[in-house]
Amino acid sequence: MKVNEGKIDRLVRFVLGAILLALYLADVVTGTWGTVALVVSIVLLATAATGFCGLYALLGINTCPVKQQKQQS
């Protein structure tokens, strides 16, 4: 798996995942929506931790900046 998320993308995913998880754990979001929030938060936190998003790979999206290679003389 190749990293396809940039730093800002990963930070946004982490923050949103943490917020959704906190809302679920605090019983603010319950029932079916609570389950959806829990699953989405787990996916967001996992993709933020790994730097890889399967959906991005399928769609050909890459927010990770390309590393510049040094030119050899």
Side-chain angles (χ1 to χ4, degrees):
M1 292 186 309
K2 203 175 195 183
V3 174
N4 61 2
E5 296 175 3
K7 289 181 182 180
I8 295 173
D9 192 1
R10 291 175 80 173
L11 179 64
V12 169
R13 287 170 183 264
F14 177 79
V15 170
L16 289 176
I19 290 170
L20 286 174
L21 184 60
L23 290 173
Y24 174 78
L25 294 175
D27 285 333
V28 174
V29 181
T30 58
T32 303
W33 288 111
T35 305
V36 170
L38 178 64
V39 170
V40 170
S41 70
I42 290 170
V43 169
L44 287 173
L45 292 172
T47 58
T50 62
F52 176 78
C53 177
L55 184 60
Y56 276 13
L58 287 174
L59 298 175
I61 299 171
N62 188 349
T63 60
C64 185
V66 178
K67 294 181 181 178
Q68 298 293 327
Q69 296 180 356
K70 294 181 181 180
Q71 293 181 346
Q72 295 182 4
S73 304

